[in-house]
Amino acid sequence: MIEINPRTSRSSALASKATGFPIARVSSLLAGGLTLDEIPYWRDGTLEKYTPSGEYVVVKFARWAFEKFHGIEDRLGTQMRAVGEVMSIGKNYKEAFQKAIRSLEIGRYGLGFAKDFHTLSLETLMERLVQPTSERQFLMYEALRKGADIDRLHELTHIKHWFIGQMKELVELEEQILTFKGGLFRRICLSGLKRTVFPIAILLNC
């Protein structure tokens, strides 16, 4: 369940794209008085038999632009501050997440090395994670690079352990990639590393 209201919001449109399910069309039929067992299901019988399908993961990520609004503090809360959002599809969560970052069109190819966050101490990174901001995911990535504990990050951000664990796996993979140089990396890249969750722009700079 995403939401219940008398309109079709942009979240509904995103969910339709992600699942292939025509939410607006089905909603209009239901509003017109039909029941699920009266609406044809394009795979089998009628719609009350619908089951989700698809071997992919979809990530929705908000787009913020605090730099365009002078005097506005970069701090997230219950107030709507996003200026848009992106949707990405991948074979797994890590791939879809990295694609979402690139789709923001903010000059970042992934979670790592955003701004000067990688130069900050672990203590400073943890302090900046206390308040939710548009940079929280990027700060957390660098904190993990410097050895931050998953349980402690969960306490600070209330982000579930699984998602932080997925981010930690990205950090570990990036650190492995950064150890490759020159010809050795090129051969490994050609043999399949370029199909990882990291974009070519990052891989070719190794």
Side-chain angles (χ1 to χ4, degrees), residues 65-74:
F66 287 101
E67 70 279 0
K68 295 182 178 180
F69 303 98
H70 298 291
I72 301 297
E73 181 184 9
D74 183 351

Side-chain angles (χ1 to χ4, degrees), residues 8-197:
T8 301
S9 68
R10 68 184 187 187
S11 296
S12 301
L14 185 143
S16 287
K17 293 178 183 178
T19 63
F21 187 89
I23 293 177
R25 178 177 180 274
V26 172
S27 297
S28 63
L29 293 175
L30 293 173
L34 294 179
T35 58
L36 290 176
D37 59 354
E38 296 174 319
I39 301 175
Y41 178 30
W42 44 96
R43 287 198 180 95
D44 180 28
T46 50
L47 205 52
E48 86 279 5
K49 299 177 182 178
Y50 172 79
T51 55
S53 62
E55 298 180 0
Y56 56 86
V57 174
V58 178
V59 167
K60 169 185 172 182
F61 200 94
R63 171 74 158 89
W64 291 283
F66 287 101
E67 70 279 0
K68 295 182 178 180
F69 303 98
H70 298 291
I72 301 297
E73 181 184 9
D74 183 351
R75 184 171 179 177
L76 306 181
T78 57
Q79 185 180 14
M80 179 65 175
R81 291 195 165 189
V83 296
E85 60 194 11
V86 298
M87 183 188 87
S88 61
I89 300 175
K91 295 182 292 294
N92 53 58
Y93 172 74
K94 292 190 287 290
E95 180 183 15
F97 195 9
Q98 291 278 76
K99 283 183 176 181
I101 300 302
R102 298 196 294 276
S103 299
L104 292 172
E105 297 183 348
I106 55 176
R108 298 179 186 177
Y109 297 103
L111 288 161
F113 300 103
K115 292 188 175 179
D116 63 344
F117 298 152
H118 66 286
T119 66
L120 303 178
S121 67
L122 177 57
E123 181 180 2
T124 301
L125 289 167
M126 299 300 274
E127 289 176 355
R128 293 184 62 173
L129 283 170
V130 174
Q131 296 294 341
T133 69
S134 63
E135 302 287 5
R136 175 175 262 190
Q137 299 288 336
F138 305 95
L139 290 165
M140 188 163 63
Y141 190 88
E142 297 303 336
L144 285 167
R145 193 196 302 276
K146 295 183 183 297
D149 180 69
I150 291 179
D151 289 331
R152 180 56 180 155
L153 288 173
H154 169 69
E155 292 175 5
L156 288 175
T157 65
H158 301 288
I159 296 174
K160 292 185 177 181
H161 291 79
W162 186 86
F163 294 102
I164 302 176
Q166 291 287 296
M167 184 179 287
K168 183 176 181 179
E169 291 180 12
L170 277 174
V171 172
E172 293 171 348
L173 180 55
E174 183 177 52
E175 287 297 302
Q176 291 178 23
I177 292 173
L178 292 174
T179 63
F180 294 113
K181 299 292 181 181
L184 174 62
F185 172 77
R186 302 289 178 175
R187 292 193 295 274
I188 295 176
C189 180
L190 290 174
S191 67
L193 188 55
K194 63 183 178 182
R195 293 192 297 272
T196 66
V197 295

